Amino acid sequence: SDGEIPDPPVSNDIMEALDRLKFRKGVEVHGLLVGKKESKPLSRLCTEMHNFLIDYDTQISMGSTNGGHVNSATALQMTSPQMSLRSRREGWHGFGRLYKLRDAAFPLLAKYSNYDDGDGRASKKRKKGRKNKWDNEESADDDYMVQSTSSMIVEEFDSDESSTDTVQTTDDSFLSDVEMTVNEINEAASKSLLAEAWTPEVLLAEKESKGSCWKYTKELETAVEAVSEGLVERQEEARLVVLAMISMEHILLLGVPGTGKSILGRRLSKLCNGAFFQRLLTKFTTPEELFGPLSLKSLEEDEYRRCTAGFLPTASVAFLDEIFKSNSAILNTLLTILNERKFDNAGGQEDCPIRCVVGASNELPESDELVALFDRFLIRKEVLPVSDEGVISLLSMSNPGCSMETEESCDVTFTENLDEIITDLSYAADFVGMGVDTCELFRDLRTFMRETHNVEISDRRLVKAGRLLKISAASHGRKTVDRIDCLLLQHCVWEVPEQKSIVRDWLWESITPGDEIQQFRLLLDTMRGEVCDLLRRTSGDVTGEFGARKTDIDAIKILKKEINRITSTLQKHQYDISRHMELLRDADAFLWLDPDEMKSLQQLLLPRADDALVEVNKALVDSRSLEMCIEDSTESPASDLRLSVIQGLWEEGYSPEVVFTDEEMNIGMREAKKKYDLETFRKWKRARKKMDKS
């Protein structure tokens, strides 16, 4: 070809089929480029390029011999190292380069043309009868060369049948070398990745590190047991009120009367051995009932001061029943205490030692002025009546709501170092990181609630919820917020109780890392295709030592950097999934969620995470193998094998195998087509064919 062909020369399907043929059968495609040194479309199609008629011999073209007359009209200077220059008498029309395909060799013949003039350019046909002294000599040369060339070609093709076995043996040897190299590359990649893989010792080291709050786990478990003792189906509520206390947040318990909401607040106050304040609010509640009466002595001195001792401003834990019935006279002051822990008194502000306010209500807020109060309660929990299954346990207790001994035994004093625990957890939370994937999960949840359920999560709630997740991670001795901590968000972002299950289901579907693996798989396929295109141009050279163009070598280096970034990202996914699986296996030890829910979560998400890890490991090995194939190292394949090895690393468009049951394999074609999507249906047909053959 003269190189004037479309780019790409053929469709992508044909290029892929040709690549597979090269790999499986050892086929080589050689291109002869006439009159040019380079053709990108042709180089993409061919395994090796040969140049022809790209230059003329300087001395001959200048006519330096025989008085300026050139003996051969087709005088060439071939650029190939195998170039064989004939004598001027033979006219440079001999065999310039041998075209090699395995063991066969075919000569490329440059023949004389009656349409060539002395300077190598085509001219009009000579007039009849016009001759010169060279014509007879050239004619004799032509006859000699045609006869000799014809005999050589006949001999080559006659010997082709006898060499079929030899060529087949060479093909088998080539394919064997490729397969062995692919296995060696994959094995080396797997070993290097195994040395860098995540191990459970990372979690253990975090728990044992300096400043870890893992040492308080037993005390926190004891606190949860003390709050829930003697109560039926109140394990999760007990965990959440203790979490609210240690994180210095407020919790709202929403439910019908008589479900044990007040006893949870009362026991929480006994745990911390602090002042407890309790009030039932109505629309007629006065500020004096919450914040204390006015000081008459201060009034005599023209000072507006309240006596706050024994009231909300001096309490450690407070229980405010029917909190949404509060009126505007107390609302502003209550908001300041809840959010800023400050109380305006006598023209100044006093610090409030309040650790946690447990709010209770039978109904959601109805007026707009109560929306701000509703937003102050970060943790929200609907308290349902005891289920039918729990009624037997409730009625069989000697004194429901109390311990097995006496009422006083409910008043269990928490460990004396509660302030130390809260301080250490708060300090440790400042150094707990929140990864990009966790932040993206949080962001996606906010978008989901806003666009699907018209729930707007305020910035204040976002910040406080993030702090709550850090406290959760710190209480388990971890240095980063993990996705399992995000399950607490089901108690933070709903506005009506029915949305809690919606948030939980969304979290269960989204919490497993590695959902972008197919995108990385497509990206790897694209990268491999670009690498193969470049290697076709360089004949497998990745260093430039064998004459490859600098632009192609630079492009290969850029692709290598991109593949390295893909490998690093996949390693991060592998790290996250492995860590996530280890936390799921130890889900029973998670302090702040119901154990039954964690068991269900474990059964659902562990298999899903295991499948994701398999896919990530496969993509990671392929990425590292591709990176190793274009490195200049001892583990990199030889230049003549490189292209075929890269094409054999994995199948194009790799997708995970689907395992079909015996019942699914025995259904009919129509039923399978209705049951599965297109991709799964194709896999079902392939599995069916394999079963029929076996």
Side-chain angles (χ1 to χ4, degrees), residues 566-630:
I566 295 174
T567 303
S568 300
T569 306
L570 287 171
Q571 281 185 298
K572 177 66 168 56
H573 279 283
Q574 183 198 51
Y575 181 98
D576 291 342
I577 297 175
S578 300
R579 183 183 177 101
H580 179 69
M581 291 180 65
E582 185 64 25
L583 291 174
L584 284 176
R585 294 188 188 100
D586 198 28
D588 295 340
F590 194 77
L591 286 172
W592 311 122
L593 289 177
D594 183 56
D596 292 336
E597 179 180 344
M598 298 308 294
K599 288 180 181 178
S600 301
L601 186 76
Q602 191 180 54
Q603 295 173 358
L604 175 66
L605 297 188
L606 259 181
R608 187 181 301 175
D610 189 50
D611 293 341
L613 184 61
V614 171
E615 296 306 315
V616 168
N617 286 337
K618 171 62 179 171
L620 188 54
V621 170
D622 291 342
S623 180
R624 177 60 64 85
S625 298
L626 180 58
E627 185 180 354
M628 293 172 63
C629 283
I630 57 178

Side-chain angles (χ1 to χ4, degrees), residues 7-8 85 87 100 125-126 176 219 231 249 251 258 269 339 347 389 408 412 464 477 508 556 592 605 642 644 666 669:
D7 189 9
L85 300 180
S87 66
K100 295 184 178 181
K125 187 175 182 179
R126 293 189 179 98
S176 177
E219 296 180 63
L231 302 178
E249 292 294 343
I251 180 172
S269 67
N339 191 51
E389 292 77 9
E408 292 299 323
V412 180
K464 287 182 173 292
W508 284 26
I556 290 176
W592 311 122
L605 297 188
R642 197 185 309 273
S644 297
N666 291 326
M669 188 73 71

Side-chain angles (χ1 to χ4, degrees), residues 456-635:
E456 190 65 44
I457 303 174
S458 66
D459 294 344
R460 175 176 56 239
R461 179 164 292 272
L462 279 175
V463 173
K464 287 182 173 292
R467 179 74 176 177
L468 183 72
L469 301 187
K470 291 183 178 182
I471 291 289
S472 172
S475 64
H476 291 89
R478 290 185 266 113
K479 297 295 184 182
T480 183
V481 174
D482 291 286
R483 291 190 171 220
I484 196 170
D485 296 306
C486 295
L487 293 172
L488 290 170
L489 295 176
Q490 63 182 296
H491 302 296
C492 299
V493 300
W494 57 263
E495 288 188 351
V496 294
E498 291 77 13
Q499 294 172 350
K500 187 256 187 183
S501 59
I502 296 174
V503 176
R504 181 195 61 196
D505 293 343
W506 187 91
L507 288 170
W508 284 26
E509 287 296 323
S510 308
I511 201 173
T512 303
D515 54 348
E516 301 175 348
I517 302 304
Q518 291 305 315
Q519 298 178 12
F520 283 103
R521 177 57 64 183
L522 293 175
L523 189 57
L524 281 176
D525 288 341
T526 302
M527 287 291 178
R528 182 172 67 169
E530 294 181 8
V531 168
C532 289
D533 287 342
L534 289 170
L535 291 179
R536 291 189 187 99
R537 300 177 193 173
T538 65
S539 298
D541 184 12
V542 296
T543 61
E545 297 178 0
F546 302 101
R549 295 184 307 174
K550 185 177 183 301
T551 54
D552 292 335
I553 298 300
D554 291 342
I556 290 176
K557 291 179 180 179
I558 293 174
L559 285 177
K560 180 184 173 184
K561 291 181 180 179
E562 293 297 326
I563 296 169
N564 181 263
R565 291 193 187 99
I566 295 174
T567 303
S568 300
T569 306
L570 287 171
Q571 281 185 298
K572 177 66 168 56
H573 279 283
Q574 183 198 51
Y575 181 98
D576 291 342
I577 297 175
S578 300
R579 183 183 177 101
H580 179 69
M581 291 180 65
E582 185 64 25
L583 291 174
L584 284 176
R585 294 188 188 100
D586 198 28
D588 295 340
F590 194 77
L591 286 172
W592 311 122
L593 289 177
D594 183 56
D596 292 336
E597 179 180 344
M598 298 308 294
K599 288 180 181 178
S600 301
L601 186 76
Q602 191 180 54
Q603 295 173 358
L604 175 66
L605 297 188
L606 259 181
R608 187 181 301 175
D610 189 50
D611 293 341
L613 184 61
V614 171
E615 296 306 315
V616 168
N617 286 337
K618 171 62 179 171
L620 188 54
V621 170
D622 291 342
S623 180
R624 177 60 64 85
S625 298
L626 180 58
E627 185 180 354
M628 293 172 63
C629 283
I630 57 178
E631 288 179 344
D632 181 20
S633 64
T634 56
E635 295 179 341

Side-chain angles (χ1 to χ4, degrees), residues 360-491:
S361 178
N362 302 329
E363 57 189 13
L364 291 169
E366 297 179 355
S367 61
D368 293 339
E369 64 180 2
L370 295 175
V371 172
L373 180 61
F374 185 48
D375 192 60
R376 293 301 192 276
F377 291 91
L378 177 62
I379 303 176
R380 301 164 180 173
K381 180 69 175 72
E382 183 182 19
V383 184
L384 299 174
V386 175
S387 65
D388 294 340
E389 292 77 9
V391 168
I392 298 177
S393 300
L394 180 65
L395 296 178
S396 62
M397 298 176 65
S398 60
N399 191 4
C402 298
S403 68
M404 297 300 292
E405 298 178 2
T406 64
E407 176 66 25
E408 292 299 323
S409 63
C410 296
D411 303 337
V412 180
T413 302
F414 196 74
T415 52
E416 297 179 357
N417 60 341
L418 175 62
D419 290 333
E420 178 186 344
I421 293 176
I422 294 177
T423 302
D424 288 352
L425 281 172
S426 180
Y427 180 78
D430 292 337
F431 297 94
V432 171
M434 184 177 290
V436 176
D437 56 338
T438 307
C439 295
E440 289 176 348
L441 182 69
F442 213 146
R443 178 203 62 195
D444 294 342
L445 175 59
R446 185 190 191 189
T447 303
F448 169 75
M449 295 301 293
R450 180 178 63 247
E451 296 180 353
T452 308
H453 301 283
N454 197 29
V455 174
E456 190 65 44
I457 303 174
S458 66
D459 294 344
R460 175 176 56 239
R461 179 164 292 272
L462 279 175
V463 173
K464 287 182 173 292
R467 179 74 176 177
L468 183 72
L469 301 187
K470 291 183 178 182
I471 291 289
S472 172
S475 64
H476 291 89
R478 290 185 266 113
K479 297 295 184 182
T480 183
V481 174
D482 291 286
R483 291 190 171 220
I484 196 170
D485 296 306
C486 295
L487 293 172
L488 290 170
L489 295 176
Q490 63 182 296
H491 302 296

Side-chain angles (χ1 to χ4, degrees), residues 107-378:
L108 302 178
L109 180 61
K111 294 182 63 178
Y112 283 105
S113 171
N114 291 331
Y115 296 89
D116 285 359
D117 56 17
D119 60 358
R121 293 190 299 268
S123 64
K124 295 182 180 179
K125 187 175 182 179
R126 293 189 179 98
K127 294 181 180 179
K128 185 176 181 181
R130 180 181 177 183
K131 295 183 179 180
N132 56 38
K133 63 180 182 179
W134 302 102
D135 286 348
N136 293 333
E137 189 173 357
E138 289 175 358
S139 177
D141 289 340
D142 287 347
D143 294 340
Y144 168 77
M145 288 307 301
V146 168
Q147 292 175 4
S148 61
T149 303
S150 300
S151 61
M152 289 183 65
I153 294 177
V154 169
E155 289 176 2
E156 292 293 345
F157 280 96
D158 287 343
S159 63
D160 184 63
E161 294 183 3
S162 63
S163 63
T164 301
D165 295 339
T166 305
V167 173
Q168 183 63 41
T169 302
T170 306
D171 289 343
D172 294 342
S173 176
F174 176 80
L175 293 177
S176 177
D177 291 343
V178 169
E179 183 178 357
M180 181 178 65
T181 306
V182 168
N183 293 334
E184 290 175 352
I185 291 287
N186 285 333
E187 185 178 355
S190 299
K191 287 183 178 179
S192 65
L193 293 171
L194 184 62
E196 303 168 6
W198 185 90
T199 59
E201 284 73 17
V202 175
L203 277 177
L204 184 61
E206 290 182 10
K207 293 177 180 179
E208 296 177 351
S209 63
K210 183 179 179 181
S212 171
C213 294
W214 177 249
K215 56 188 176 183
Y216 299 127
T217 302
K218 294 297 182 183
E219 296 180 63
L220 294 174
E221 289 177 348
T222 303
V224 171
E225 292 174 359
V227 173
S228 62
E229 186 178 5
L231 302 178
V232 178
E233 297 180 355
R234 294 295 176 262
Q235 272 283 333
E236 190 169 28
E237 288 81 356
R239 294 172 185 271
L240 291 176
V241 295
V242 173
L243 175 62
M245 181 187 64
I246 65 172
S247 58
M248 302 288 286
E249 292 294 343
H250 312 300
I251 180 172
L252 174 66
L253 302 178
L254 187 66
V256 298
T259 51
K261 299 186 293 293
S262 60
I263 195 173
L264 292 171
R266 192 161 55 247
R267 288 190 176 184
L268 189 63
S269 67
K270 298 301 181 182
L271 281 175
C272 61
N273 198 25
F276 177 68
F277 179 80
Q278 179 176 353
R279 281 293 183 275
L280 173 64
L281 304 184
T282 68
K283 60 182 179 179
F284 304 110
T285 301
T286 62
E288 286 76 15
E289 295 180 63
L290 287 180
F291 312 122
L294 290 174
S295 172
L296 298 178
K297 185 176 181 180
S298 298
L299 285 175
E300 292 177 355
E301 299 175 359
D302 296 331
E303 187 178 59
Y304 193 86
R305 178 181 295 277
R306 292 188 181 275
C307 299
T308 58
F311 290 87
L312 181 61
T314 59
S316 297
V317 176
F319 178 77
L320 301 179
D321 201 1
E322 298 298 338
I323 189 165
F324 296 126
K325 286 185 167 50
S326 56
N327 54 64
S328 57
I330 65 174
L331 190 58
N332 290 336
T333 305
L334 183 60
L335 289 175
T336 305
I337 293 177
L338 291 176
N339 191 51
E340 302 174 13
R341 288 177 169 78
K342 298 287 185 179
F343 176 67
D344 295 323
N345 198 12
Q349 285 191 330
E350 299 177 357
D351 292 331
C352 298
I354 193 75
R355 289 195 175 101
C356 177
V357 172
V358 180
S361 178
N362 302 329
E363 57 189 13
L364 291 169
E366 297 179 355
S367 61
D368 293 339
E369 64 180 2
L370 295 175
V371 172
L373 180 61
F374 185 48
D375 192 60
R376 293 301 192 276
F377 291 91
L378 177 62

